[in-house]
Amino acid sequence: MADQTRHICGISGGKDSSALALYLRDRVPQMEYFFCDTGAELPETYEFLTRLEVILGKPIARLNSERGFDHWFEVFRGALPSPQMRWCTKVMKIKPIEAWIGDEPAVSYVAIRADEANRKGYISTKPNIESRFPFVEDGVDHDGVMKILDDAGIGLPDYYEWRTRSGCYFCFYQRKAEWVGLAERHPELYERAIAIEQKVLLDAGVNGDADFSERAMAGRQYTWSGGETLVQLRTRRQEILDKHHASMERIHEARRSIPVLEALVGALDDDDDTSACVVCAL
Ligand code: SF4
């Protein structure tokens, strides 16, 4: 009887999982590719997935949560998702993946690189799912990932020009400079993120900066970005960009032997690894 085990590879729209999909295209011809669509992804991500499908020669299954962010936002009583309360990943990513896999035996290929072997990815606790880490097994590091993408002629998704990882446009893991990038590249999405935040502040009866800072310190998050609202963050645009460019300069000085874009992506990834949502951003 033929082996019924499914072979699956999740693509977040980030560089590592995209490179893994390309790396495995001919090695695991029966591979099923999937992408968890929260409905709040960046336009650049959708565009990149379309190009990737052409190179893979196969569709990437879009897995949706039964309901979108607005529904779950209500269920969680208007609480913003945050690193401490990451309900978004659970209900909009992990549950749809596990429902899609069901109870059939499956091998899940995870895009953790050889140079970040201590990083944790999505590892299901379901007994029918076995996780494999081909980049760790084969020693593929950051440079190896960039080479796979270059060789395939696809390069990096366009959002890497202003943001270092895939995921929702309102992702709370964004740096301040990335919020500025969102405001400039996608002002309508920035306005939507403001509207969600303003609703949270209004529902909580929070007035004024001091008030929300005190409450935030008490454990609940009232703003997408730490210590200020998105409206306030926007007014500090130049200060934020100046600081960001200064730190990029320092990183570039330290890595003068590496081309600029790789240095930028590599450096930012390096300091992201402890906090980023790896289910969303590999
Ligand atoms: S990308 Fe960010 S906001 Fe979206 S599901 Fe992942 S952690 Fe949550």
Side-chain angles (χ1 to χ4, degrees), residues 1 6 15 18 44 66 96 107 168 185 221 250 269:
M1 204 172 112
R6 292 172 66 184
K15 70 181 191 317
S18 303
E44 292 94 326
E66 281 171 25
V107 179
C168 305
R185 305 286 180 132
Q221 189 145 333
R250 283 198 299 276
D269 278 359

Side-chain angles (χ1 to χ4, degrees), residues 67-79:
R67 312 274 179 91
F69 175 82
D70 291 347
H71 166 79
W72 293 111
F73 186 49
E74 288 297 318
V75 169
F76 286 88
R77 292 194 263 172

Side-chain angles (χ1 to χ4, degrees), residues 38 81 86 88-89 92-93 166-168 170-173 277 280:
T38 62
R86 222 174 65 198
C88 48
T89 312
M92 298 198 297
K93 302 249 171 172
S166 53
C168 305
F170 48 62
C171 186
F172 43 85
Y173 283 122
C277 172
C280 310

Side-chain angles (χ1 to χ4, degrees), residues 23-150:
Y23 186 71
L24 297 175
R25 180 186 61 184
D26 300 326
R27 290 174 171 82
V28 187
Q30 69 273 47
M31 187 72 81
E32 298 174 66
Y33 302 102
F34 67 91
F35 167 71
C36 282
D37 188 353
T38 62
E41 308 290 332
L42 294 166
E44 292 94 326
T45 300
Y46 294 116
E47 184 269 335
F48 185 78
L49 289 175
T50 304
R51 288 199 284 132
L52 192 56
E53 279 178 321
V54 173
I55 299 175
L56 291 172
K58 262 187 194 179
I60 299 167
R62 304 317 204 249
L63 310 185
N64 292 97
S65 163
E66 281 171 25
R67 312 274 179 91
F69 175 82
D70 291 347
H71 166 79
W72 293 111
F73 186 49
E74 288 297 318
V75 169
F76 286 88
R77 292 194 263 172
L80 283 183
S82 65
Q84 295 73 33
M85 266 184 81
R86 222 174 65 198
W87 56 259
C88 48
T89 312
K90 193 169 157 198
V91 298
M92 298 198 297
K93 302 249 171 172
I94 292 178
K95 279 187 184 263
I97 295 172
E98 295 193 339
W100 182 66
I101 297 171
D103 295 323
E104 295 171 53
V107 179
S108 169
Y109 296 83
V110 184
I112 290 175
R113 302 188 313 256
D115 54 323
E116 50 173 18
N118 293 328
R119 191 176 180 185
K120 298 269 187 293
Y122 162 64
I123 301 170
S124 176
T125 51
K126 291 187 76 173
N128 56 315
I129 303 173
E130 176 200 341
S131 296
R132 295 269 315 263
F133 304 89
F135 284 164
V136 176
E137 289 166 23
D138 297 348
V140 177
D141 59 8
H142 173 264
D143 289 351
V145 160
M146 300 299 278
K147 182 169 176 359
I148 291 167
L149 295 171
D150 281 348

